[in-house]
Amino acid sequence: MNDAENLSKLLGHLPPAVFSEFMVSEFDVAMPELNAKQAKREQRAAMDNFLSALAVSVRQPIEELAERLVLMSDGAGQDVIEGFRDDIFDDADRETFAAIRNQYERALWLYCHEPALFKEALDARQADVFRQSPSCYSGFMAPKGLSIKDDEASRVDFHQTVAEHLGCAVDAVAVQIFRRLRPDTQTGEDVALYQVSIHHNRPPEIIDCVQDSELFGQEVIRAVSSHVTYEPAHGHLEVLTKDTDGRETLARIVADALLQSPISGERIPLKQYDYQSLAASRNFNVAGENVAFVKVVELGYGGSNHRSLLVKSRWNDPEDVYAAARELVSSTFDFRPRHLNYAKLSIRLKKVGNDRARTITVILREGNKCNIKTKREKDRALCDRLLAQWHLVKEIGDALKAPVDAVAA
């Protein structure tokens, strides 16, 4: 199914019987009967052939739902689901959910049994993705320890004020307010996070489509989303939207209507990665953390005429990357006079309880890029703490004065 990437992924990761039952119950599709004597691969192949034969118009809505389920099955999606699992109302359902180990099956279970919770979790995942993008992010300092006012009067007042700000009718704006948990960057402990999601319709646009072999213009109305989060532990009010000019106004509307406490407009400091100190061999302090060892496994630098050199060594190599460079280049080679534009750290975690020993890879690149933004919440919080402790990251002040490629603190 080349035109249904997410459906293929869902088919490949769900147990065949679970996938077949879902297709029948959700879309009333007459799936082929599963042969219990066949291996899972053969069962999936039979269902793949059947789904591939469906008309694209039939398969498209299935693919759209599959995309939402796949989004909730990756690291970011599972982080959010973990934070929402305590909101499952029924004790027996909570136990059933806790016993599911397949992340695709967990997302599917939440969609089928707690659809409202699934929608909130999907919304929260999208907000977290926005938070990792400097082009969508502005952060403001607000008073600590407050709670979002979620009574009817506050919600109605906020809804109307937002509609006026966006220039929309009230019924063209949807507002969601909920509370969830996420790991604190400094301690790793779960802290409360309030999220306000705002969805509104853009003006109608005309797109071309074909009907009965004729080309027609069809009016389409698309909705766009913005998210505002408030973390009482630190007083961080974060606005996550592609509307750059309207972020501070939106922050003030949320503060005035829902926190009922104005903000000063002070921006949250941003971070800039500074890894030039890795040009020399060093010891990494991991006291108090569940870390067995840390090793620099790759270093790179650039020269004139777009030339570059990247030296690699494995995490289990008895020598380090500095010794590897001296062996490969010259016995006197030293990274310190060079300007590094790439570094890769291997952080080996200890086995604790049911958690297996594993390795987190941190990649730092020129342009203030760091791959920890794509990792799971707890891993990202750990990496944030360690990089700060090792002086590989620094705050660079007000977001308005920061380079455009800086990332949120």
Side-chain angles (χ1 to χ4, degrees):
M1 291 181 288
N2 294 331
D3 59 341
E5 175 187 355
N6 295 288
L7 183 56
S8 296
K9 190 174 291 187
L10 207 61
L11 173 61
H13 288 87
L14 284 175
V18 172
F19 179 88
S20 179
E21 181 183 350
F22 174 62
M23 289 294 107
V24 173
S25 60
E26 183 71 18
F27 297 102
D28 197 24
V29 176
M31 297 293 291
E33 186 175 348
L34 296 179
N35 185 344
K37 295 182 179 180
Q38 290 182 325
K40 289 182 179 180
R41 178 177 295 180
E42 295 173 304
Q43 293 176 334
R44 287 177 172 131
M47 289 191 286
D48 183 275
N49 291 334
F50 172 80
L51 293 169
S52 297
L54 294 175
V56 174
S57 59
V58 175
R59 198 164 59 241
Q60 189 58 36
I62 305 176
E63 166 67 8
E64 290 172 359
L65 176 56
E67 181 182 15
R68 296 164 64 197
L69 292 168
V70 168
L71 284 173
M72 296 309 298
S73 302
D74 66 4
Q78 288 296 295
D79 280 334
V80 172
I81 285 179
E82 194 66 24
F84 276 76
R85 63 186 295 176
D86 291 338
D87 294 330
I88 298 173
F89 179 74
D90 185 86
D91 288 341
D93 281 349
R94 275 200 293 272
E95 292 181 9
T96 300
F97 181 78
I100 301 172
R101 291 292 174 260
N102 181 320
Q103 69 265 34
Y104 290 86
E105 201 170 350
R106 283 162 62 88
L108 179 61
W109 188 97
L110 199 68
Y111 172 81
C112 293
H113 293 84
E114 296 279 354
L117 205 60
F118 178 88
K119 189 176 186 304
E120 287 189 359
L122 181 62
D123 209 28
R125 181 202 180 278
Q126 301 305 75
D128 285 344
V129 171
F130 272 22
R131 182 175 292 106
Q132 297 164 21
S133 171
S135 64
C136 301
Y137 175 93
S138 290
F140 304 87
M141 296 302 300
K144 297 181 182 179
L146 301 179
S147 298
I148 289 286
K149 308 297 181 184
D150 196 18
D151 57 276
E152 184 65 21
S154 298
R155 185 186 285 265
V156 169
D157 177 57
F158 175 70
H159 197 154
Q160 291 175 339
T161 305
V162 167
E164 293 174 4
H165 166 64
L166 296 172
C168 298
V170 172
D171 61 0
V173 178
V175 173
Q176 298 169 304
I177 302 173
F178 49 88
R179 177 184 180 274
R180 59 192 180 97
L181 299 175
R182 75 171 182 182
D184 179 72
T185 298
Q186 300 302 317
T187 66
E189 300 295 325
D190 285 340
V191 295
L193 181 74
Y194 290 95
Q195 180 171 315
V196 180
S197 294
I198 302 154
H199 315 276
H200 72 282
N201 289 335
R202 295 179 58 187
E205 55 185 285
I206 304 297
I207 63 170
D208 289 336
C209 64
V210 175
Q211 296 178 1
D212 299 325
S213 300
E214 295 289 339
L215 185 65
F216 290 91
Q218 180 172 313
E219 185 176 273
V220 173
I221 298 177
R222 303 181 191 273
V224 294
S225 301
S226 302
H227 309 280
V228 181
T229 62
Y230 170 67
E231 195 175 283
H234 301 99
H236 289 177
L237 188 68
E238 300 172 299
V239 183
L240 313 158
T241 175
K242 293 181 179 179
D243 178 16
T244 306
D245 296 335
R247 290 178 197 163
E248 183 167 344
T249 301
L250 200 55
R252 292 187 183 280
I253 292 173
V254 170
D256 293 343
L258 300 180
L259 292 179
Q260 296 182 0
S261 178
I263 61 173
S264 65
E266 178 188 357
R267 297 293 184 96
I268 295 175
L270 302 186
K271 289 179 180 178
Q272 186 174 36
Y273 297 102
D274 181 10
Y275 47 95
Q276 292 303 308
S277 62
L278 298 180
S281 180
R282 59 179 294 185
N283 293 320
F284 295 94
N285 181 10
V286 295
E289 301 288 359
N290 178 35
V291 176
F293 67 86
V294 181
K295 186 176 182 181
V296 180
V297 292
E298 296 181 16
L299 284 178
Y301 68 92
S304 60
N305 299 323
H306 305 288
R307 293 171 180 168
S308 62
L309 176 68
L310 176 62
V311 181
K312 300 181 180 181
S313 67
R314 295 177 58 84
W315 68 269
N316 56 355
D317 190 326
E319 300 284 356
D320 59 24
V321 70
Y322 310 97
R326 289 192 294 271
E327 179 183 329
L328 292 170
V329 183
S330 76
S331 59
T332 59
F333 180 85
D334 195 335
F335 280 107
R336 282 176 288 186
R338 280 84 179 177
H339 177 75
L340 297 180
N341 59 15
Y342 179 90
K344 183 176 181 179
L345 299 174
S346 182
I347 302 173
R348 185 68 176 174
L349 301 186
K350 301 174 184 176
K351 183 182 185 306
V352 176
N354 294 327
D355 293 337
R356 60 182 177 83
R358 57 192 178 88
T359 300
I360 301 175
T361 300
V362 176
I363 297 175
L364 302 153
R365 297 178 184 273
E366 200 165 42
N368 205 42
K369 295 181 176 65
C370 179
N371 72 330
I372 67 171
K373 299 188 295 296
T374 63
K375 298 188 181 299
R376 299 197 62 165
E377 286 274 10
K378 288 186 177 180
D379 288 351
R380 190 159 69 243
L382 170 64
C383 291
D384 274 336
R385 291 197 302 276
L386 291 176
L387 292 182
Q389 181 172 301
W390 300 333
H391 304 291
L392 300 180
V393 63
K394 60 183 179 180
E395 291 184 353
I396 55 175
D398 194 291
L400 292 175
K401 301 175 184 176
V404 293
D405 55 2
V407 294

